[in-house]
Amino acid sequence: MPGLGITLGSKLTEFRLYRAWMPFGRMVAEGVKLALRYRGDGTASEFPTTLNVSVTNRCNLACECCYNRDNRGASELGINDFASLVAQAAPYRAGIFLTGGEPLVRSDVFNILALSRKAGLKTGLVSNGILLEPSMVDRLVGIGLDMVVLSVRGDRTLHDAEVNRPGAYDVLRNAAVRLAERMPRSGIQLNYVLTGESSATVEAFLDDVLPLPGVVVRLGHLSFATPSEADAHKVVWKARLGDAAPALFTFLHDVRPEQFADLPRILTNRRHARLTTRPVLSPSECSEWYAPGYASRRRCLFIWHSTNIQADGQVFPCQYYPYSMGNILEEPLQQIWNNKRYRSFRREIRRGLLPGCARCCKL
């Protein structure tokens, strides 16, 4: 099947990256189940393997390149709503990633994380990390998370321009070190978000953090669409799905390929052997990614095993498409996961990616 080989190659690297999250045996079992269902009517497994839960759309930063920048709804699920979600997920041993916005701006985020861990679920946190003072790190250690991803937007966080206080990068870096020391079996990741500006400081960042013991260092390729690609996406969506395209949650960006010209050299440098990327791109793909008109040859497997739950309870198939499949405040997630709308969407994406899918970090 076109694109499936490079998709699987990228997924194998990702499984190695997330081995603290999913044991090898379960990875194989889930892969077999997916292979058996993939060519069917769009029905996935009984329940998603991973729930990516946006606990808030509030954030202490306002990064221009954030996919969630224009999603600032104030409604948020309460602690009892999370307790219900955890109870639904527990029989299926699903994993839960808390994301946002910035999860740490919620005063009860540690209670939410503890609910998931007490139910025996794999539990992870995605954060920009600059709120993680030592006392908060200690609380995370006490909960016993399975994975923490600290996202670094290099052009801002390294220079403290966005947060307007000294030492923000040091807070993030020290939090990663402390977590790795005290949770050595968990996956502690520093994810450097590549932008046109941050590509200029990426090597300084790598020189600083690659020697850190126990910390996985990852480059996150910029997820974006050019304005003309976004316009094409609306046309293709309407033609294939039959209704108007929802607002595309991604960075609209007139790409300048010269800003990323050094990336193939950086990624193949032997000094950076410990470095991982998301998604995994070959040097030629890397050059294509940062050029106008990129069309991915990959296949989306994410919508078959994972889902996104918004701060107000809406269920989206992925973080980039505010295309509601239902709301967990109105019906159980298990019913939403394989409803008619979700199955139809899977079948359509199986036919081929939409233009807005091309530069997705999960391919």
Side-chain angles (χ1 to χ4, degrees):
M1 184 179 296
L4 191 56
I6 52 177
T7 299
L8 293 176
S10 181
K11 288 298 177 186
L12 287 173
T13 300
E14 191 164 292
F15 281 134
R16 290 197 296 270
L17 192 64
Y18 285 84
R19 59 182 178 270
W21 180 261
M22 181 174 288
F24 179 76
R26 185 169 185 193
M27 175 194 76
V28 172
E30 295 293 338
V32 170
K33 291 177 184 177
L34 174 56
L36 293 173
R37 292 186 173 96
Y38 186 74
R39 298 305 303 175
D41 67 351
T43 300
S45 56
E46 285 186 277
F47 201 83
T49 302
T50 300
L51 315 181
N52 298 278
V53 185
S54 179
V55 294
T56 182
N57 289 318
R58 293 176 286 145
C59 190
N60 56 323
L61 300 180
C63 300
E64 183 183 4
C65 65
C66 179
Y67 76 91
N68 210 35
R69 180 182 176 87
D70 296 325
N71 183 19
R72 289 292 181 260
S75 179
E76 295 178 356
L77 296 170
I79 192 71
N80 291 335
D81 301 318
F82 285 106
S84 174
L85 183 62
V86 166
Q88 293 175 52
Y92 302 98
R93 298 184 299 129
I96 294 181
F97 258 114
L98 295 196
T99 180
E102 171 49 55
L104 295 178
V105 303
R106 276 194 67 145
S107 59
D108 60 353
V109 67
F110 296 102
N111 296 332
I112 296 170
L113 290 165
L115 274 174
S116 180
R117 284 301 299 132
K118 287 178 181 177
L121 302 181
K122 292 286 186 180
T123 306
L125 175 71
V126 181
S127 168
N128 62 46
I130 60 177
L131 297 177
L132 275 174
E133 301 289 352
S135 61
M136 299 180 78
V137 173
D138 292 343
R139 294 188 70 179
L140 292 181
V141 171
I143 293 170
L145 299 185
D146 299 284
M147 182 161 287
V148 178
V149 179
L150 302 179
S151 190
V152 187
R153 187 183 170 197
D155 58 316
R156 298 289 181 158
T157 309
L158 283 175
H159 301 138
D160 300 326
E162 187 87 51
V163 295
N164 196 30
R165 66 176 175 135
Y169 173 68
D170 290 337
V171 171
L172 182 152
R173 184 186 187 280
N174 292 339
V177 171
R178 189 172 178 85
L179 285 165
E181 288 174 347
R182 300 182 63 189
M183 300 167 58
R185 294 186 179 179
S186 298
I188 310 301
Q189 297 184 19
L190 278 176
N191 179 58
Y192 189 93
V193 181
L194 284 165
T195 67
E197 293 78 15
S198 72
S199 61
T201 56
V202 63
E203 288 192 277
F205 171 77
L206 296 177
D207 289 341
D208 180 43
V209 299
L210 278 174
L212 297 178
V215 177
V216 175
V217 181
R218 187 178 85 186
L219 294 188
H221 286 291
L222 181 63
S223 295
F224 70 96
T226 66
S228 60
E229 290 167 351
D231 289 341
H233 173 78
K234 294 177 184 178
V235 174
V236 175
W237 181 290
K238 173 69 173 177
R240 288 178 53 182
L241 280 91
D243 52 7
L248 185 60
F249 279 0
T250 194
F251 179 35
L252 294 184
H253 176 54
D254 281 313
V255 65
R256 292 167 52 195
E258 67 274 11
Q259 292 180 308
F260 304 93
D262 277 347
L263 277 181
R265 176 187 61 80
I266 292 169
L267 295 176
T268 55
N269 190 321
R270 290 184 180 181
R271 289 194 299 120
H272 305 149
R274 287 188 58 233
L275 178 66
T276 62
T277 66
R278 191 179 192 198
V280 178
L281 302 177
S282 68
S284 62
E285 281 183 297
C286 189
S287 298
E288 294 168 3
W289 184 280
Y290 293 101
Y294 174 70
S296 177
R297 298 180 296 276
R298 303 187 180 205
R299 292 278 171 172
C300 177
L301 302 181
F302 177 86
I303 58 175
W304 292 83
H305 58 72
S306 300
T307 195
N308 281 76
I309 300 173
Q310 296 297 296
D312 61 359
Q314 290 190 86
V315 178
F316 291 171
C318 81
Q319 66 197 46
Y320 301 113
Y321 295 157
Y323 188 58
S324 183
M325 300 295 171
N327 193 304
I328 63 169
L329 296 178
E330 299 170 359
E331 57 185 321
L333 178 58
Q334 185 180 21
Q335 293 182 17
I336 298 171
W337 176 237
N338 278 314
N339 65 20
K340 182 178 179 181
R341 186 176 176 89
Y342 225 137
R343 296 196 312 272
S344 176
F345 185 79
R346 289 192 190 103
R347 291 196 303 269
E348 191 56 49
I349 299 301
R350 186 179 61 198
R351 287 180 53 206
L353 299 179
L354 299 165
C357 303
R359 297 185 187 89
C360 176
C361 62
K362 296 177 174 64
L363 294 178

